[in-house]
Amino acid sequence: MNLPKEWIEQPQHILIVDDEPLMRSSLRQLLEGAGRVVSECASGGEAIGILKSGEIDLVLLDINLPDISGLEVVEWIKMGKIPTSVIMVSANDCIDSAIRAMRGGAVEFVRKPTELEDIPYKVDNALHRRHLERSHFMIAARLEQSERLHRFLVEKAPDLIYTLDPNGCFTFTNERFQSLLGYSRDELKGRSYTSIVHEEDAHLATFAFVERRRDHRATTNLEIRLKCKVDPQRHLERQHVVAILSAIGIYETREKKRDLQSITYAGTYGVARDITERKIAEETISFQALHDQLTLLPNRTLFKDRLELAMAQARRSGKMAAVMFFDLDRFKRVNDTHGHAEGDELLKKVAQRLQRCLRATDTLARQGGDEFTLLLPDLVHPQDAAVIAEKIMEELKVPFPVAGQDFCAMASIGIAVFPGDGESADQLLKHADIAMYEVKGNGKNGYTFFTSDMNACYQERIGLENELRQAIRNSEFELHYQPQISVSGSRVVGLEALLRWRHPVHGLLNPTSFIDMAEESGFISEITDWVLAEVCSQLDRWRGTGLGDIRVSVNVSPKEFNQNNVVDRFSSHVARHNLPADVLEVEITENLPVDDVSGIIDKMRMLREKGIRISIDDFGTRYSSLNYLRRFPINTIKIDRSFVHDISEDKTSSPIIHAIIGIARGFGLNLVAEGVETSYQMRTLYQLGCDEMQGYFFSKPLPAAEIEKFLRESISRSSAGAVEGGLPYQNQRRCA
């Protein structure tokens, strides 16, 4: 008989149990062959022992054994569910013995010696059946395991998996329905799919949930909202989830007469994935792109879009639309006195107040800083805008709480009306801005409509811009330097370069009077390049006269970091004079507005790699400080003068200063205190762990010639090692 190849390749274990040695030897000779292992024993007890200790595929068993009967061994095999086959080989002719053996589980009964020639054939058959039984068992086990795995994957899947009958009722739902939506399997079985679909999406679900197609036209990634079960015990935070649904039809094939087949629609199989968090993230990103992050009002982009829409509607309807440019007067005083955090809170409260004055169709937006714009569409008369402006002025009369005190806010409002004051959104905004500056020039706290006469003031501003352009060409700028002192070393370790404009009419101007205009008009990069060139040239001259290693810090406009060439521009000035890069330090304000955070960080990191130092000015005045230190490659932080000013003998030192000094130590940063004006402030800061300081106590900002004299005197004092009051620095004011 030809046995299966895979069966032959696996050894077959045969056990011969007979008390006659000659019979055992004869049977062995008959059965031995390739792929078989033949064992033998002479008693039933030995056979049971072998069957207990190892796997035997086939037992050739005699009935009459010296200890126990072969029939008892068969019964033991049956009772113990031993996985083996038995062929009885016996000289007993009793039919009862054969019947009892077959009932006990024997597969064959062979009489000896007459039927011994049939044994090889019957053994082959028995082993083949044994192999088939084993294969069937293994296939069944694999199928069961596969089914368990499939059931586990379906039940534990993160997606909603379901089947519907042809009527759209649930026949199966996995466990995710309960964990996500709150519905158990028993609750949904037999219910229509419409019971879990959001009412507003019912039209989308009509064909998607009960999809009949199963080709490329079948529903794929359809966005749909599913209702959560209302269950007080679950305390669900949301009433629905957003899911993307894919579904296909299920069909059954049935045999009909004459080899024909019938294909019948049996229902729908679908999978839905929860994308609620992704939708929230997308909506958040979309909201942030079009709204101010502080007040949550529309930003310039969204405001301009709505303004253009209002203008288009006004053209069709023949009505008007007005734009208000709103600026909060005296807001800078809040920032300077109480800090930017209180200023931010004030802006949010102002935004809330302004919204109370508006109609549902009006749009309030924040332009930036303390500037807001208002869009008033669908006006019949220009004076309708004046009504809103008066409501705003009246609303602002109620004081705002700022740092535990009442702050009376005032506003300057400029109004431009479409179509008379401009044909484009940009023109309307510009004219409203001009009108707002007209109010400011006339004492603030009021409103006015734009007129053509106001262009004269605008032209004056343009004239000042031209003067600034001329100042760049005529080199009307100059630098003053304020020393930064190491108290412990009794020496100057750095200078802060401060820009001045020697105006031919108005005299010496500090940057606050023209830097904003330079930024707005686009001159700031030219001014920065002039400052850097002058600083590096001066450093080169000082180093040539033996004034030693002095670093100079330069205040840089935030707009510089929007320039792609900022790194090359800054480093080129240092390289041109062959200076060590670390003698130049770039100061940024802590409220540096960064639209492209990663890009700004990359540029700063490249500056650091070239050796140029980075410092944060006015540190501690905004909530973003720690975020700056964590993300930006900083060398130095400067304690803001407002915190230093609070240090006096009748007050305890500010815990903020303690915190800033601790932060500097923790991050391994250099620390400089600004605005030191008294000996007590110097001593207190030094005792707290701040060694480097600047301020009028040491020296006011001085021109280059005078600061050079100061540097030489500082070197002399350091060499002499002068000490006063236990501190290494000689307490000597230089506020002349």
Side-chain angles (χ1 to χ4, degrees):
M1 176 180 180
N2 295 324
L3 299 178
K5 181 179 178 182
E6 63 272 16
W7 181 48
I8 295 174
E9 290 175 351
Q10 297 179 356
Q12 307 289 307
H13 294 270
I14 302 173
L15 175 62
I16 301 171
V17 185
D18 198 300
D19 59 345
E20 297 180 13
L22 185 59
M23 179 58 67
R24 294 199 303 269
S25 176
S26 299
L27 291 175
R28 175 185 286 274
Q29 291 179 7
L30 285 173
L31 301 179
E32 280 184 333
R36 289 181 177 178
V37 178
V38 180
S39 304
E40 58 181 74
C41 64
S43 67
E46 289 182 77
I48 290 174
I50 293 172
L51 289 169
K52 285 181 179 179
S53 61
E55 182 176 345
I56 301 297
D57 295 291
L58 178 64
V59 180
L60 273 68
L61 183 62
D62 190 8
I63 292 179
N64 299 316
L65 297 173
D67 50 355
I68 60 176
S69 169
L71 295 175
E72 294 180 73
V73 175
V74 171
E75 291 178 2
W76 177 85
I77 290 173
K78 182 178 180 181
M79 295 295 294
K81 297 181 179 179
I82 305 300
T84 188
S85 298
V86 178
I87 295 178
M88 300 299 298
V89 182
S90 177
N92 191 335
D93 291 335
C94 180
I95 189 63
D96 292 337
S97 297
I99 293 172
R100 184 179 172 187
M102 299 301 286
R103 287 178 177 175
V107 297
E108 293 285 353
F109 191 95
V110 178
R111 292 178 175 81
K112 58 180 179 180
T114 58
E115 299 178 355
L116 288 181
E117 65 274 10
D118 296 334
I119 283 183
Y121 175 77
K122 293 186 177 183
V123 165
D124 286 348
N125 284 339
L127 288 176
H128 183 61
R129 286 196 301 270
R130 174 67 182 151
H131 172 74
L132 292 177
E133 289 172 1
R134 180 182 295 173
S135 298
H136 176 75
F137 174 80
M138 293 178 67
I139 292 171
R142 288 171 184 166
L143 287 174
E144 184 179 353
Q145 182 182 14
S146 176
E147 184 180 354
R148 285 199 304 268
L149 178 60
H150 176 73
R151 189 181 301 114
F152 174 82
L153 293 175
V154 170
E155 292 293 352
K156 303 302 179 182
D159 300 333
L160 301 168
I161 299 176
Y162 69 90
T163 57
L164 302 175
D165 64 18
N167 297 318
C169 296
F170 287 106
T171 56
F172 170 80
T173 56
N174 67 346
E175 293 179 1
R176 184 60 171 153
F177 274 82
Q178 183 154 14
S179 62
L180 182 62
L181 303 180
Y183 300 100
S184 68
R185 181 179 286 121
D186 292 339
E187 285 180 284
L188 290 179
K189 191 169 184 178
R191 287 176 60 180
S192 172
Y193 71 91
T194 57
S195 61
I196 67 168
V197 176
H198 195 283
E199 291 80 3
E200 295 178 7
D201 291 347
H203 63 290
L204 295 174
T206 301
F207 299 104
F209 252 92
V210 289
E211 178 64 76
R212 289 173 171 265
R213 296 168 295 188
R214 53 181 179 178
D215 55 16
H216 66 278
R217 298 173 299 162
T219 299
T220 303
N221 294 337
L222 174 70
E223 189 173 305
I224 196 167
R225 287 172 292 179
L226 303 178
K227 294 188 295 186
C228 296
K229 178 182 177 182
V230 179
D231 187 349
Q233 295 182 351
R234 284 174 54 85
H235 302 290
L236 288 174
E237 297 181 359
R238 53 194 182 190
Q239 296 180 345
H240 69 270
V241 300
V242 183
I244 51 174
L245 174 70
S246 298
I248 59 172
I250 302 173
Y251 288 83
E252 292 180 350
T253 302
R254 298 179 181 177
E255 297 292 337
K256 298 178 69 175
K257 294 180 179 179
R258 298 180 181 177
D259 297 329
L260 297 178
Q261 293 181 338
S262 172
I263 300 177
T264 306
Y265 170 65
T268 301
Y269 167 80
V271 178
R273 172 163 296 180
D274 177 23
I275 60 167
T276 306
E277 298 301 326
R278 190 182 83 187
K279 290 294 294 183
I280 293 173
E282 290 174 354
E283 291 170 1
T284 300
I285 292 171
S286 176
F287 182 87
Q288 290 176 346
L290 297 173
H291 291 79
D292 172 59
Q293 300 306 299
L294 178 64
T295 61
L296 304 183
L297 295 175
N299 60 13
R300 296 179 185 181
T301 303
L302 182 56
F303 181 84
K304 187 176 179 180
D305 182 70
R306 292 185 180 178
L307 174 56
E308 290 173 346
L309 177 62
M311 292 166 60
Q313 292 173 339
R315 289 189 185 98
R316 290 195 297 269
S317 65
K319 294 185 179 181
M320 302 177 183
V323 172
M324 289 187 182
F325 211 107
F326 174 104
D327 184 86
L328 193 62
D329 300 330
R330 302 188 303 125
F331 175 73
K332 187 175 184 298
R333 184 179 303 177
V334 176
N335 276 345
D336 293 343
T337 305
H338 303 291
H340 291 277
E342 289 293 338
D344 289 347
E345 287 299 317
L346 175 60
L347 289 175
K348 289 192 284 188
K349 292 171 184 174
V350 168
Q352 293 169 1
R353 291 269 192 96
L354 292 177
Q355 287 178 308
R356 299 177 192 171
C357 305
L358 306 181
R359 304 167 300 172
T361 56
D362 299 338
T363 297
L364 172 66
R366 184 184 177 209
Q367 291 290 301
D370 59 345
E371 293 181 337
F372 297 85
T373 51
L374 286 75
L375 169 61
L376 307 174
D378 199 27
L379 299 181
V380 178
H381 302 288
Q383 287 303 314
D384 293 341
V387 174
I388 301 296
E390 289 172 359
K391 287 177 65 176
I392 290 173
M393 304 303 297
E394 192 68 26
E395 186 70 35
L396 293 179
K397 289 181 180 179
V398 181
F400 291 87
V402 176
Q405 301 176 355
D406 286 342
F407 174 78
C408 295
M410 296 185 297
S412 298
I413 303 175
I415 307 172
V417 179
F418 175 82
D421 295 335
E423 286 295 324
S424 68
D426 290 334
Q427 199 171 28
L428 281 173
L429 285 167
K430 174 184 173 181
H431 289 167
D433 191 17
I434 292 173
M436 183 267 291
Y437 275 105
E438 182 73 12
V439 176
K440 282 188 175 293
N442 292 328
K444 305 180 180 181
N445 196 32
Y447 69 91
T448 189
F449 286 85
F450 172 79
T451 64
S452 57
D453 295 338
M454 293 177 185
N455 274 324
C457 295
Y458 180 73
Q459 294 302 323
E460 182 180 344
R461 180 177 175 86
I462 295 298
L464 187 57
E465 289 183 6
N466 291 331
E467 290 179 0
L468 184 59
R469 183 184 294 106
Q470 196 69 22
I472 297 172
R473 294 175 182 172
N474 297 339
S475 300
E476 295 174 4
F477 296 113
E478 60 184 66
L479 292 179
H480 289 196
Y481 299 88
Q482 187 171 36
Q484 297 170 340
I485 307 297
S486 169
V487 176
S488 63
S490 187
R491 64 188 181 90
V492 178
V493 293
L495 301 171
E496 181 177 1
L498 300 168
L499 182 64
R500 300 290 185 264
W501 179 10
R502 193 165 292 280
H503 194 279
V505 177
H506 303 295
L508 195 64
L509 303 178
N510 64 36
T512 57
S513 61
F514 62 86
I515 284 297
D516 288 346
M517 183 184 299
E519 290 180 334
E520 293 174 8
S521 56
F523 301 146
I524 192 63
S525 292
E526 294 181 66
I527 294 175
T528 301
D529 284 333
W530 181 89
V531 171
L532 290 171
E534 184 68 18
V535 164
C536 291
S537 177
Q538 187 66 65
L539 276 169
D540 191 18
R541 290 193 294 271
W542 283 338
R543 291 173 68 84
T545 59
L547 282 179
D549 296 329
I550 298 294
R551 71 171 184 266
V552 177
S553 59
V554 177
N555 292 282
V556 173
S557 167
K559 292 184 179 294
E560 291 290 358
F561 287 93
N562 293 327
Q563 305 295 324
N564 293 329
N565 63 346
V566 63
V567 176
D568 292 335
R569 283 174 47 219
F570 285 17
S571 59
S572 65
H573 291 287
V574 177
R576 186 175 300 118
H577 294 277
N578 198 27
L579 296 171
D582 61 357
V583 300
L584 180 63
E585 186 168 73
V586 173
E587 281 194 19
I588 61 174
T589 56
E590 190 186 1
N591 60 347
L592 173 71
V594 284
D595 298 325
D596 179 14
V597 176
S598 60
I600 298 296
I601 293 174
D602 289 341
K603 292 170 185 174
M604 289 186 176
R605 185 172 291 112
M606 285 188 283
L607 286 175
R608 282 288 307 275
E609 290 172 354
K610 291 181 178 293
I612 297 174
R613 298 167 59 87
I614 308 289
S615 70
I616 298 181
D617 198 9
D618 305 328
F619 186 81
T621 57
R622 286 179 67 87
Y623 55 83
S624 61
S625 304
L626 293 180
N627 193 42
Y628 267 60
L629 297 184
R630 182 177 65 84
R631 303 188 65 185
F632 285 70
I634 304 299
N635 296 95
T636 302
I637 57 177
K638 300 182 74 174
I639 302 175
D640 186 67
R641 64 184 67 249
S642 62
F643 301 126
V644 176
H645 183 266
D646 290 339
I647 300 175
S648 62
E649 297 187 28
D650 57 346
K651 294 182 182 178
T652 58
S653 59
S654 170
I656 297 178
I657 293 181
H658 288 265
I660 294 174
I661 293 173
I663 289 169
R665 287 175 179 169
F667 281 91
L669 301 175
N670 189 43
L671 183 66
V672 178
E674 296 182 294
V676 178
E677 297 182 356
T678 67
S679 173
Y680 182 79
Q681 291 172 346
M682 179 192 70
R683 293 172 182 273
T684 301
L685 288 166
Y686 182 76
Q687 291 167 0
L688 290 175
C690 179
D691 179 57
E692 295 185 18
M693 310 174 197
Q694 71 182 83
Y696 273 38
F697 176 74
F698 305 101
S699 173
K700 68 178 182 180
L702 300 172
E706 294 183 38
I707 201 67
E708 182 174 338
K709 181 180 177 182
F710 184 93
L711 291 173
R712 297 191 184 281
E713 291 176 356
S714 174
I715 293 173
S716 298
R717 286 196 303 272
S718 179
S719 299
V723 177
E724 178 180 324
L727 290 177
Y729 184 79
Q730 183 174 356
N731 187 357
Q732 194 173 38
R733 292 181 64 92
R734 290 197 172 264
C735 299

